[in-house]
Amino acid sequence: MASTKESLTSISKFFQSPLGSNLAIGACIALILGAMMTTWLWVEKPDFKVLVSNYSDRDGGAIIASLQQMNVAYQYAENGNAILIPADRVHDVRLKLATQGLPKSGNIGFELMESQKIGTSQFLEQINFQRALEGELARSINSIASVQTSRVHLAIPKPSVFVREKQKPTASVLLSLHPGRKLDQQQIDGILHLVSSSIPELLTENVTIVDQNGNLLTKSTTDTTDNQLDPSQLNYVNELQNGIVHRIESILIPILGQENLRAEATADVDFSHSEQAAEIYTPNNTANNVAKRSEHSKSSSSDNGSNKAGGIPGAYSNQPGQLGQLNQIPMLNQTTAPASASQSSDEHETTTNYEVDKTVRFVKNPTGTIKRLTVAVVVNYKTEIDSNGKPISIAFTEEDKLQITSLVKQAMGYKEDRGDALSVVNIPFKKVNTEQIDSPDFWNQLLTIENTKTASQYLFAIAIIAYLFKLLKPLIKNLPLTKLSNQANPSKQSIVEDQPINIEAARKMAAENPQIVASVLKNWMNHE
C-alpha cells in the first residue's frame, strides 16, 4: 500500500511540474482533436460509386492491387460483383486502370487480329474474325445508356457454290440492363438494324434480342399479325386523338370554362397498304367525237360495148327462131335488153377503223387514313344568378347546344359520308370535394429517417466532446501555467491580492518562470 501511495504521489507531482503539465495539456489537445476527427470521419462518410462490375477474379485481384498502390479507398458491393471507390475519384482511377489494360476480361474487338501468328490455319482465322466482329458489336451496343453489358453470338454459315444449299446468317444478342432501366421499341429496333447491317445478307427477322431476365425483346417486331399495331402506329393514333381533343377544348374553354368541359375522341385509322389498277373503256358516241385510226376506200366500174352479144346467155337464145318466144316470157322480157344495147356497172367499197377509248388508272392509297371518328363531349350546366342573388345551375337551350355542336364539328373535322359520330351532352357536374389536405408539418418533414440518423450522429459527437472537456477542465485549472496566467491578468488582480500567497510556491515559481513573476510584480506596481 505504501508503495502504491508513493507511486501515485510521484505521478501527481510529475503532472504538477511544468513538464508534466505541458504533456497533460498536449495529451488533452490531441485527445480532443482525435475525437473531433473521428467524429467528422464517422459523420461525413464519402460517397462511393461503382468503379467496375461483373469482373473476373483475376481482374478483380489486379484492380485491388492497383488501388492499394494508388492509396484509393475501396469497398465491395453487397452482392460482391462490383468494386466501389469515392465518387470524386471514379473517372481518374478508370483512366489510370485503362493505361494498365484493366480490366482485361472485357469484349475483345479487332485488336484480336493484330496478334495473328504466322502459320495460322484458315479455320482459326475465320474464328478469330468472328470473335472480333462479335466483340465490336457488343462494344457498340454497350454505348447505349440503358445497357450495362451485352454479348453477341453470330452464326455465319460457310459459303457454298450450290445455290440451293445457301443459308442465311443469324445472330443472337443478350442484353444486361442497368437496374431500373428498360429499352423502348425504338431502341430495340436500333439494335436490331445495327446488328443486321453489320453482317452481309443478315435479315432483321433473323436477329434475336433477349434481356438478362430471358424476355424476348424482338417478339413485337417479328411475330406481329395483321390486326396488331406496332408502337409507332399506336403513338400516331394517340397523337391524333389527343390533337382532336385539344382542338375541341381550345375552342370551347374560353366560352364554357376550364372546369365545365370534358371531351374524348376515338379514331379508327387504316394502316393497310392498298394499290388499285383499272382500265376503263368509254363507249363510242357519235362519229364526230370518235378519232379515226385508218380508212380504206375501193371503187371499180365496168362498161359493155355494142360489139358484144346481148341477150340472155345460154344455148336457148342461140337457137334460131327462139327470139320471138323469149319476148313472150314476162320475166325475161323485163330483165333483158336488146342485143344491140350497151351495159355498164360501178362498185364502191370503203373501210374505216376507229380508235377505242381506254383509260388506265393506278391508285396507291396512303397509309394512316382516318376511317371514322367518334367524339363525345360533356358540358356542365351554366351558372346564373337568380332574383335572390344566389347562383343556380340551369341547362343550355337547344340553340346553345346546336352552336356548341357546330363548333365541335368544325374542330374535329366532321364528315358525314365517312360515318363520323358526335355526341354532345349537357348534364350537371358533381361538385368536387375542395377540402384541402393538410400538408405535412415542418417537423414531420424534418424528422425523416435520414435526417434523424444524421442528427443523432452529430449529437453523439457533441456529447463526446463535451464529456472530454468536462473531464479535462479540473486538470487544466490546477495547472501552474493556468494559475500564473490568471495572476498575470489585470482584470483578476483584485482576486489575486485578496488571496494569501504561498511564499514557497512563489519562490519556486520565480526560480522556474522569472519572466512571469516579473510581469506580475510589474502589474502590481503599475496598479498601485
Side-chain angles (χ1 to χ4, degrees):
M1 291 294 293
S3 61
T4 303
K5 290 182 179 180
E6 290 178 356
S7 60
L8 292 175
T9 303
S10 60
I11 293 172
S12 177
K13 289 182 179 180
F14 173 75
F15 280 106
Q16 290 179 359
S17 64
L19 180 61
S21 62
N22 294 332
L23 291 177
I25 293 174
C28 293
I29 294 174
L31 184 60
I32 293 173
L33 292 177
M36 294 177 65
M37 184 63 66
T38 303
T39 305
W40 182 79
L41 292 176
W42 177 54
V43 173
E44 297 292 336
K45 290 183 178 179
D47 184 18
F48 282 81
K49 289 189 176 180
V50 177
L51 176 65
V52 291
S53 61
N54 297 326
Y55 51 87
S56 63
D57 294 339
R58 179 177 298 177
D59 286 343
I63 292 171
I64 293 301
S66 180
L67 292 177
Q68 291 175 352
Q69 292 178 358
M70 291 185 289
N71 196 18
V72 177
Y74 64 90
Q75 63 184 20
Y76 300 99
E78 295 180 358
N79 51 10
N81 62 350
I83 299 177
L84 310 179
I85 64 171
D88 56 345
R89 301 200 61 182
V90 170
H91 300 290
D92 183 28
V93 173
R94 282 180 181 174
L95 293 176
K96 292 181 179 179
L97 292 177
T99 58
Q100 302 176 11
L102 296 174
K104 298 180 179 179
S105 61
N107 297 320
I108 301 176
F110 282 115
E111 62 270 11
L112 183 64
M113 308 300 296
E114 299 176 357
S115 58
Q116 293 288 338
K117 297 180 180 179
I118 300 176
T120 304
S121 63
Q122 185 179 2
F123 174 77
L124 186 58
E125 288 182 352
Q126 183 66 27
I127 293 298
N128 290 336
F129 176 76
Q130 184 170 336
R131 287 181 58 195
L133 191 58
E134 291 173 350
E136 291 294 334
L137 288 174
R139 286 177 179 177
S140 301
I141 296 173
N142 292 342
S143 61
I144 301 175
S146 301
V147 179
Q148 186 175 10
T149 57
S150 65
R151 294 192 65 183
V152 179
H153 302 278
L154 299 177
I156 303 176
K158 294 181 179 180
S160 175
V161 296
F162 301 100
V163 180
R164 293 182 179 180
E165 298 179 358
K166 190 174 183 180
Q167 297 179 356
K168 298 293 184 181
T170 58
S172 301
V173 181
L174 176 62
L175 302 179
S176 179
L177 305 179
H178 289 286
R181 300 285 188 89
K182 68 177 184 178
L183 298 176
D184 55 18
Q185 190 60 41
Q186 186 176 2
Q187 292 174 318
I188 295 173
D189 293 340
I191 296 175
L192 194 67
H193 289 82
L194 173 66
V195 177
S196 63
S197 301
S198 303
I199 309 299
E201 299 183 357
L202 177 59
L203 304 178
T204 55
E205 54 265 23
N206 293 337
V207 180
T208 304
I209 302 177
V210 183
D211 63 2
Q212 71 271 26
N213 298 321
N215 299 323
L216 183 60
L217 302 181
T218 54
K219 181 178 181 180
S220 59
T221 58
T222 57
D223 297 337
T224 55
T225 61
D226 295 336
N227 297 326
Q228 295 178 348
L229 300 180
D230 58 26
S232 61
Q233 294 174 347
L234 291 175
N235 292 334
Y236 174 77
V237 174
N238 292 331
E239 292 177 359
L240 178 62
Q241 295 175 165
N242 294 333
I244 294 173
V245 173
H246 177 71
R247 290 196 298 269
I248 294 173
E249 291 179 347
S250 63
I251 197 172
L252 292 182
I253 284 177
I255 303 173
L256 304 176
Q258 180 73 35
E259 302 297 331
N260 298 324
L261 173 68
R262 296 293 184 272
E264 290 294 336
T266 302
D268 186 6
V269 183
D270 184 13
F271 290 101
S272 61
H273 298 269
S274 61
E275 296 180 359
Q276 180 182 1
E279 292 186 0
I280 302 174
Y281 295 90
T282 305
N284 295 331
N285 295 327
T286 63
N288 295 330
N289 296 331
V290 180
K292 293 182 180 180
R293 176 186 296 177
S294 62
E295 184 176 2
H296 177 70
S297 180
K298 178 181 179 183
S299 64
S300 62
S301 62
S302 63
D303 186 9
N304 294 327
S306 60
N307 56 352
K308 294 182 180 179
I312 299 172
Y316 186 79
S317 61
N318 294 327
Q319 293 179 5
Q322 298 297 327
L323 183 61
Q325 295 180 1
L326 289 174
N327 295 331
Q328 295 178 1
I329 300 174
M331 181 180 65
L332 294 176
N333 189 26
Q334 295 175 2
T335 58
T336 58
S340 61
S342 62
Q343 296 180 354
S344 63
S345 64
D346 294 331
E347 183 180 356
H348 182 74
E349 180 183 355
T350 302
T351 303
T352 304
N353 296 323
Y354 296 96
E355 290 286 354
V356 179
D357 291 345
K358 178 181 179 181
T359 303
V360 179
R361 180 179 298 171
F362 184 80
V363 180
K364 183 176 181 181
N365 296 326
T367 59
T369 57
I370 300 175
K371 297 171 59 178
R372 187 171 183 265
L373 288 179
T374 303
V375 177
V377 180
V378 182
V379 181
N380 190 15
Y381 277 9
K382 59 182 177 180
T383 303
E384 293 186 357
I385 306 300
D386 60 2
S387 58
N388 297 326
K390 295 181 179 180
I392 57 174
S393 298
I394 60 175
F396 283 88
T397 62
E398 292 298 329
E399 183 180 357
D400 294 337
K401 291 180 182 179
L402 291 176
Q403 292 179 355
I404 294 174
T405 303
S406 177
L407 290 175
V408 174
K409 286 184 177 181
Q410 296 295 329
M412 64 178 284
Y414 180 85
K415 291 184 180 180
E416 186 176 359
D417 56 351
R418 193 172 54 190
D420 294 349
L422 172 62
S423 177
V424 179
V425 179
N426 183 217
I427 191 171
F429 288 2
K430 289 185 178 180
K431 293 183 178 179
V432 182
N433 188 9
T434 58
E435 293 181 0
Q436 296 183 355
I437 301 175
D438 295 336
S439 59
D441 189 36
F442 173 75
W443 295 106
N444 293 333
Q445 295 180 354
L446 185 62
L447 296 177
T448 59
I449 297 176
E450 189 66 26
N451 293 338
T452 304
K453 180 180 177 181
T454 304
S456 61
Q457 291 176 348
Y458 281 107
L459 291 176
F460 183 73
I462 293 173
I464 292 177
I465 295 173
Y467 182 73
L468 291 175
F469 272 110
K470 184 177 180 181
L471 291 177
L472 298 176
K473 185 176 180 181
L475 180 61
I476 295 174
K477 284 185 177 181
N478 294 328
L479 291 176
L481 183 60
T482 306
K483 293 181 179 180
L484 290 177
S485 62
N486 292 334
Q487 292 175 1
N489 191 356
S491 60
K492 299 181 180 178
Q493 188 64 34
S494 59
I495 300 176
V496 176
E497 291 178 352
D498 295 338
Q499 295 179 355
I501 298 174
N502 192 346
I503 299 176
E504 184 177 356
R507 290 177 180 176
K508 185 176 180 181
M509 192 179 303
E512 294 177 355
N513 300 308
Q515 296 180 354
I516 296 176
V517 175
S519 176
V520 172
L521 294 176
K522 184 177 180 181
N523 290 332
W524 285 354
M525 294 175 66
N526 293 332
H527 181 69
E528 293 178 355

